[in-house]
Amino acid sequence: DTGVSQNPRHKITKRGQNVTFRCDPISEHNRLYWYRQTLGQGPEFLTYFQNEAQLEKSRLLSDRFSAERPKGSFSTLEIQRTEQGDSAMYLCATVMGQGGIEETQYFGPGTRLLVL
Amino acid sequence: AQSVTQLGSHVSVSEGALVLLRCNYSSSVPPYLFWYVQYPNQGLQLLLKYTSAATLVKGINGFEAEFKKSETSFHLTKPSAHMSDAAEYFCAVNGAGNNRKLIWGLGTSLAVNP
């Protein structure tokens, strides 16, 4: 257990429905990343926050995806009008963020989404 | 551009045998390199990282990796495999931008046979 929690752990939904995932970081970790991982692939960067500011979004993140981090603590990732191609593991990682590129990213257990 | 190539999507070893998982990188900036392990239905856990200090890096669970700039490699080794080492292993390199995101390989699935 890294101290990063994600909820729910599993989500099954029907195509067209909206889903929201939550990530609770390690306390005082000011950088937070969202990644997506499909079977047989490594994680792909989606977006990241420095405190409450969303500083970068990947081109993978279509307009149906939105992420927030109010107050710089927990973060939510919402997918609107889900499609079957959204089925994946969604991973959250947090970093203490003192400035070094080499700082370790601590991952949560992930939320596995299945869109039927 | 940053990229990572992991040779061998599946590796199978006998218990007690040497584990060697290969990782080659491409980087336009001095690289920081990471190995993570992922057990079934779990998140990613850091095994070890190279941050431009010692080229031989020791990690958890008896794993180590050696950074070889001339070969652009960062292979992961363990002298003696244990059944509990069976998992997916990912190599990653830092992104070149200020976002410090990680660029990941496709992973290597390690099976340990009794």
Side-chain angles (χ1 to χ4, degrees):
Chain A
D1 183 359
T2 62
V4 180
S5 61
Q6 290 187 249
N7 288 287
R9 293 291 308 276
H10 303 273
K11 179 70 176 179
I12 300 175
T13 191
K14 293 182 179 179
R15 186 163 49 102
Q17 298 294 305
N18 299 343
V19 294
T20 300
F21 311 140
R22 176 175 170 132
C23 172
D24 286 89
I26 297 171
S27 178
E28 298 180 355
H29 276 203
N30 57 41
R31 289 211 314 270
L32 186 148
Y33 297 79
W34 285 99
Y35 292 88
R36 180 172 66 188
Q37 185 181 22
T38 52
L39 281 176
Q41 302 289 320
E44 296 173 298
F45 169 78
L46 292 179
T47 188
Y48 100 106
F49 293 83
Q50 177 81 33
N51 298 311
E52 68 275 9
Q54 187 175 19
L55 296 185
E56 183 173 337
K57 293 171 60 174
S58 164
R59 284 171 290 180
L60 292 174
L61 217 61
S62 76
D63 291 344
R64 297 185 296 106
F65 288 71
S66 62
E68 295 182 341
R69 192 182 183 199
K71 303 179 183 178
S73 56
F74 70 93
S75 177
T76 58
L77 178 67
E78 180 182 17
I79 309 174
Q80 296 182 326
R81 306 180 302 281
T82 53
E83 301 173 357
Q84 288 182 325
D86 297 331
S87 296
M89 174 81 89
Y90 289 84
L91 296 166
C92 172
T94 71
V95 180
M96 182 171 289
Q98 296 301 312
I101 293 175
E102 74 280 9
E103 288 189 71
T104 298
Q105 295 192 16
Y106 292 88
F107 282 81
T111 295
R112 185 171 293 283
L113 172 66
L114 177 61
V115 182
L116 301 176
Chain B
Q2 315 298 93
S3 68
V4 168
T5 302
Q6 291 185 240
L7 294 174
S9 58
H10 297 276
V11 170
S12 183
V13 300
S14 298
E15 192 173 18
L18 171 71
V19 175
L20 171 61
L21 304 182
R22 299 179 186 275
C23 172
N24 288 88
Y25 70 91
S26 173
S27 179
S28 58
V29 298
Y32 295 99
L33 294 153
F34 305 80
W35 275 101
Y36 279 81
V37 60
Q38 187 175 34
Y39 298 100
N41 297 315
Q42 294 188 27
L44 293 143
Q45 180 183 5
L46 181 71
L47 277 177
L48 50 80
K49 62 182 181 182
Y50 166 74
T51 59
S52 75
T55 56
L56 182 62
V57 181
K58 295 187 183 299
I60 62 171
N61 301 338
F63 284 93
E64 62 182 38
E66 185 172 9
F67 172 72
K68 291 186 176 180
K69 184 177 180 181
S70 61
E71 299 178 7
T72 61
S73 69
F74 190 56
H75 301 330
L76 182 70
T77 61
K78 182 174 180 177
S80 176
H82 192 271
M83 296 295 289
S84 61
D85 294 327
E88 191 85 15
Y89 291 80
F90 291 93
C91 182
V93 66
N94 58 290
N98 292 329
N99 58 33
R100 304 184 178 105
K101 67 184 178 185
L102 294 177
I103 309 300
W104 299 82
L106 296 181
T108 298
S109 178
L110 175 67
V112 181
N113 306 310

